Amino acid sequence: MFGDMMGMMGKLKETQAKVEATKERLNSVYIDESSSDDLLKITVTGNRAIKSIAIDEQLLEDKEQLEDYLILTLNKAIEKANNVHETELAAVAKEGMPNIPGMDMFK
C-alpha cells in the first residue's frame, strides 16, 4: 500500500510538472479575433494575455464606437483563449490522474 501511495505521489508530481510546461507553452499559442467588419483585430495568448490590437483609422473617429468594438472583440478573444486554456490543462490533468478506484470523474 505504501508503495502505491509513493507511486501516486510521483505521478502527481509528474503531472504538476506537465501542467506547468503546458502553461508555459500556452504563452506561445496565439488566438486571433476580429470584429465582424475587420476594423478591429486582437491577438491574445492561450494564457489570456493580450499580444496585439490593430485598430482601423475609421474607428478612431468615434470614441464610443471604438469602446464598443473593444469590449465585444476582447470578450470574444478571451472566451476563445479560456476554451483553449481549459482544454489543454484538462487533457494534461486527465492523463496524469492516478487510477484511484471510484474516482473516475474525467470519464
Side-chain angles (χ1 to χ4, degrees):
M1 179 164 156
F2 188 67
D4 288 343
M5 183 64 81
M6 292 300 290
M8 280 192 279
M9 292 301 290
K11 183 85 167 165
L12 288 173
K13 283 186 179 193
E14 181 182 315
T15 300
Q16 185 177 20
K18 286 181 181 180
V19 165
E20 292 304 316
T22 299
K23 285 180 180 178
E24 186 66 31
R25 184 179 57 77
L26 286 171
N27 283 326
S28 62
V29 172
Y30 297 110
I31 295 106
D32 296 315
E33 186 59 57
S34 59
S35 60
S36 58
D37 55 9
D38 285 334
L39 296 179
L40 178 68
K41 297 177 183 178
I42 295 174
T43 301
V44 297
T45 69
N47 282 323
R48 301 168 302 254
I50 298 169
K51 293 304 281 184
S52 69
I53 297 176
I55 302 169
D56 188 277
E57 290 287 326
Q58 89 182 55
L59 281 178
L60 297 177
E61 298 168 8
D62 185 344
K63 179 182 181 281
E64 212 170 280
Q65 182 183 18
L66 175 57
E67 290 169 346
D68 290 343
Y69 270 64
L70 283 167
I71 290 168
L72 291 171
T73 309
L74 278 167
N75 282 333
K76 287 192 313 188
I78 290 168
E79 182 179 344
K80 284 183 179 179
N82 277 336
N83 290 338
V84 169
H85 188 87
E86 289 173 11
T87 300
E88 292 287 325
L89 291 182
V92 172
K94 181 179 178 183
E95 172 188 313
M97 286 297 292
N99 189 15
I100 302 171
M103 295 292 290
D104 45 354
M105 57 187 154
F106 289 109
K107 289 186 179 181

